[in-house]
Amino acid sequence: MFKRIQKLCVELALWMLVGMSVIVFVDIILRFFLRRSLPWGVEVCEYFIFGLTYLAASYLLREGKHVRIEIIESFIKETVKKRLEKCREFIGLLFCIVVCIISIEAAYYSYKMKLKVTRIYAVDKYIFLLIIAFGFSMLALEFLRKLIITLRQK
Protein backbone atom coordinates (compact mmCIF):
# COMPACT_ATOMS: atom_id res chain seq x y z
CA MET A 1 0.00 0.00 0.00
CA PHE A 2 2.75 2.44 0.99
CA LYS A 3 4.72 1.63 -2.16
CA ARG A 4 1.59 2.30 -4.23
CA ILE A 5 1.14 5.73 -2.59
CA GLN A 6 4.81 6.50 -3.31
CA LYS A 7 4.35 5.60 -6.96
CA LEU A 8 1.23 7.76 -7.22
CA CYS A 9 3.16 10.68 -5.71
CA VAL A 10 5.98 10.19 -8.20
CA GLU A 11 3.52 10.07 -11.10
CA LEU A 12 1.96 13.32 -9.90
CA ALA A 13 5.45 14.83 -9.58
CA LEU A 14 6.28 13.74 -13.13
CA TRP A 15 3.07 15.35 -14.42
CA MET A 16 4.05 18.54 -12.61
CA LEU A 17 7.43 18.38 -14.37
CA VAL A 18 5.69 17.92 -17.71
CA GLY A 19 3.39 20.84 -16.89
CA MET A 20 6.38 23.02 -16.05
CA SER A 21 8.03 22.10 -19.34
CA VAL A 22 4.89 22.99 -21.29
CA ILE A 23 4.49 26.31 -19.46
CA VAL A 24 8.12 27.29 -20.07
CA PHE A 25 7.93 26.20 -23.73
CA VAL A 26 4.74 28.19 -24.34
CA ASP A 27 6.20 31.19 -22.52
CA ILE A 28 9.33 31.12 -24.72
CA ILE A 29 7.25 30.85 -27.90
CA LEU A 30 4.99 33.72 -26.81
CA ARG A 31 7.97 35.92 -25.97
CA PHE A 32 9.74 35.17 -29.24
CA PHE A 33 6.80 35.56 -31.63
CA LEU A 34 4.32 37.83 -29.85
CA ARG A 35 6.58 39.73 -27.45
CA ARG A 36 4.29 38.68 -24.59
CA SER A 37 4.67 36.25 -21.76
CA LEU A 38 2.58 34.28 -19.34
CA PRO A 39 2.56 36.49 -16.23
CA TRP A 40 1.58 33.54 -14.04
CA GLY A 41 4.00 31.05 -15.61
CA VAL A 42 6.97 31.55 -13.31
CA GLU A 43 4.82 31.44 -10.19
CA VAL A 44 3.07 28.21 -11.21
CA CYS A 45 6.43 26.63 -12.07
CA GLU A 46 7.77 27.61 -8.64
CA TYR A 47 4.76 25.96 -7.00
CA PHE A 48 5.26 22.85 -9.12
CA ILE A 49 8.97 22.65 -8.17
CA PHE A 50 8.00 22.96 -4.53
CA GLY A 51 5.32 20.28 -4.80
CA LEU A 52 7.26 17.75 -6.82
CA THR A 53 10.21 17.95 -4.42
CA TYR A 54 8.10 16.78 -1.50
CA LEU A 55 6.05 14.32 -3.53
CA ALA A 56 9.05 12.46 -4.96
CA ALA A 57 11.42 12.50 -1.96
CA SER A 58 10.35 9.26 -0.25
CA TYR A 59 10.34 7.32 -3.52
CA LEU A 60 13.84 8.55 -4.28
CA LEU A 61 14.95 7.49 -0.81
CA ARG A 62 13.46 4.03 -1.37
CA GLU A 63 15.26 3.67 -4.70
CA GLY A 64 18.60 4.86 -3.29
CA LYS A 65 18.57 8.01 -5.46
CA HIS A 66 18.39 10.44 -2.55
CA VAL A 67 21.34 12.74 -1.86
CA ARG A 68 23.92 10.86 0.15
CA ILE A 69 27.54 11.46 1.12
CA GLU A 70 29.47 8.21 0.87
CA ILE A 71 33.08 9.30 1.29
CA ILE A 72 33.28 8.14 4.92
CA GLU A 73 31.81 4.74 4.06
CA SER A 74 34.62 3.96 1.66
CA PHE A 75 37.16 4.06 4.51
CA ILE A 76 35.39 2.06 7.22
CA LYS A 77 34.78 -1.63 7.90
CA GLU A 78 31.56 -3.40 6.99
CA THR A 79 30.43 -3.79 10.63
CA VAL A 80 30.85 -0.07 11.24
CA LYS A 81 28.98 0.67 7.99
CA LYS A 82 25.99 -1.33 9.27
CA ARG A 83 25.95 0.61 12.55
CA LEU A 84 26.34 3.88 10.67
CA GLU A 85 23.43 2.94 8.42
CA LYS A 86 21.21 2.24 11.44
CA CYS A 87 22.19 5.59 12.98
CA ARG A 88 21.60 7.44 9.71
CA GLU A 89 18.14 5.94 9.30
CA PHE A 90 17.20 6.57 12.93
CA ILE A 91 18.36 10.20 12.78
CA GLY A 92 16.55 10.64 9.44
CA LEU A 93 13.38 9.21 11.00
CA LEU A 94 13.57 11.55 14.01
CA PHE A 95 14.33 14.58 11.85
CA CYS A 96 11.39 13.86 9.54
CA ILE A 97 9.01 13.37 12.47
CA VAL A 98 10.08 16.70 14.01
CA VAL A 99 9.71 18.61 10.72
CA CYS A 100 6.33 16.96 10.10
CA ILE A 101 5.02 17.98 13.53
CA ILE A 102 6.32 21.53 13.18
CA SER A 103 4.78 21.80 9.70
CA ILE A 104 1.39 20.62 10.95
CA GLU A 105 1.48 23.10 13.83
CA ALA A 106 2.48 25.92 11.47
CA ALA A 107 -0.26 24.89 9.03
CA TYR A 108 -2.84 25.01 11.80
CA TYR A 109 -1.62 28.45 12.88
CA SER A 110 -1.63 29.70 9.26
CA TYR A 111 -5.13 28.36 8.73
CA LYS A 112 -6.39 29.94 11.94
CA MET A 113 -4.78 33.30 11.15
CA LYS A 114 -5.85 33.09 7.46
CA LEU A 115 -2.28 33.70 6.26
CA LYS A 116 -1.69 33.88 2.51
CA VAL A 117 1.27 33.71 0.17
CA THR A 118 0.62 36.63 -2.12
CA ARG A 119 2.33 37.11 -5.44
CA ILE A 120 0.18 37.11 -8.58
CA TYR A 121 -2.29 34.81 -6.87
CA ALA A 122 -3.11 34.76 -3.18
CA VAL A 123 -2.74 31.15 -2.00
CA ASP A 124 -3.43 29.98 1.54
CA LYS A 125 -0.10 29.38 3.27
CA TYR A 126 -1.32 26.30 5.13
CA ILE A 127 -1.53 24.42 1.81
CA PHE A 128 2.24 24.66 1.37
CA LEU A 129 2.85 23.69 4.97
CA LEU A 130 0.61 20.63 4.61
CA ILE A 131 2.55 19.61 1.49
CA ILE A 132 5.74 19.83 3.57
CA ALA A 133 4.10 17.79 6.34
CA PHE A 134 2.93 15.16 3.85
CA GLY A 135 6.36 14.92 2.22
CA PHE A 136 8.16 14.56 5.53
CA SER A 137 5.63 12.03 6.84
CA MET A 138 6.25 9.93 3.73
CA LEU A 139 10.00 10.28 4.28
CA ALA A 140 9.58 9.29 7.94
CA LEU A 141 7.68 6.16 6.95
CA GLU A 142 10.36 5.27 4.41
CA PHE A 143 13.14 5.82 6.97
CA LEU A 144 11.18 3.62 9.39
CA ARG A 145 10.79 0.91 6.76
CA LYS A 146 14.52 1.02 5.97
CA LEU A 147 15.41 1.01 9.69
CA ILE A 148 13.26 -2.07 10.33
CA ILE A 149 14.89 -3.88 7.41
CA THR A 150 18.36 -2.91 8.65
CA LEU A 151 17.62 -4.01 12.21
CA ARG A 152 16.39 -7.42 10.98
CA GLN A 153 19.64 -8.02 9.09
CA LYS A 154 22.47 -9.66 10.99
Side-chain angles (χ1 to χ4, degrees):
M1 180 69 175
F2 180 63
K3 192 173 185 179
R4 180 180 256 165
I5 293 170
Q6 283 180 320
K7 288 203 176 215
L8 285 171
C9 288
V10 167
E11 288 176 13
L12 181 57
L14 288 173
W15 279 110
M16 291 172 126
L17 192 60
V18 168
M20 281 178 15
S21 300
V22 169
I23 290 168
V24 170
F25 176 76
V26 169
D27 198 39
I28 289 170
I29 297 299
L30 286 174
R31 284 180 190 212
F32 187 77
F33 290 112
L34 301 177
R35 306 250 185 249
R36 311 182 109 174
S37 68
L38 301 172
W40 48 267
V42 172
E43 184 174 349
V44 170
C45 286
E46 288 172 354
Y47 294 152
F48 279 2
I49 289 171
F50 176 83
L52 70 88
T53 300
Y54 290 104
L55 288 172
S58 72
Y59 178 81
L60 294 173
L61 180 62
R62 173 181 226 125
E63 297 297 315
K65 307 288 187 206
H66 210 268
V67 175
R68 189 171 163 168
I69 301 171
E70 298 175 340
I71 193 157
I72 296 171
E73 291 180 9
S74 61
F75 296 109
I76 58 177
K77 295 178 185 177
E78 197 63 35
T79 54
V80 178
K81 280 184 189 179
K82 299 258 187 220
R83 284 189 219 135
L84 186 63
E85 189 174 350
K86 290 174 190 172
C87 288
R88 181 178 54 233
E89 288 160 5
F90 182 71
I91 291 168
L93 173 62
L94 288 179
F95 177 80
C96 290
I97 290 170
V98 168
V99 173
C100 184
I101 290 168
I102 291 170
S103 299
I104 290 169
E105 289 174 349
Y108 176 73
Y109 175 79
S110 296
Y111 178 77
K112 221 166 88 173
M113 301 303 289
K114 300 185 185 319
L115 299 178
K116 304 240 185 239
V117 175
T118 307
R119 302 201 39 214
I120 291 177
Y121 299 106
V123 182
D124 291 325
K125 190 174 185 176
Y126 74 89
I127 294 170
F128 297 104
L129 293 163
L130 289 177
I131 292 170
I132 292 170
F134 175 77
F136 274 96
S137 66
M138 293 290 287
L139 275 169
L141 290 172
E142 183 58 32
F143 272 118
L144 179 62
R145 187 191 72 78
K146 290 172 78 69
L147 181 61
I148 290 168
I149 290 170
T150 308
L151 290 172
R152 286 183 180 165
Q153 294 173 347
K154 291 186 179 181

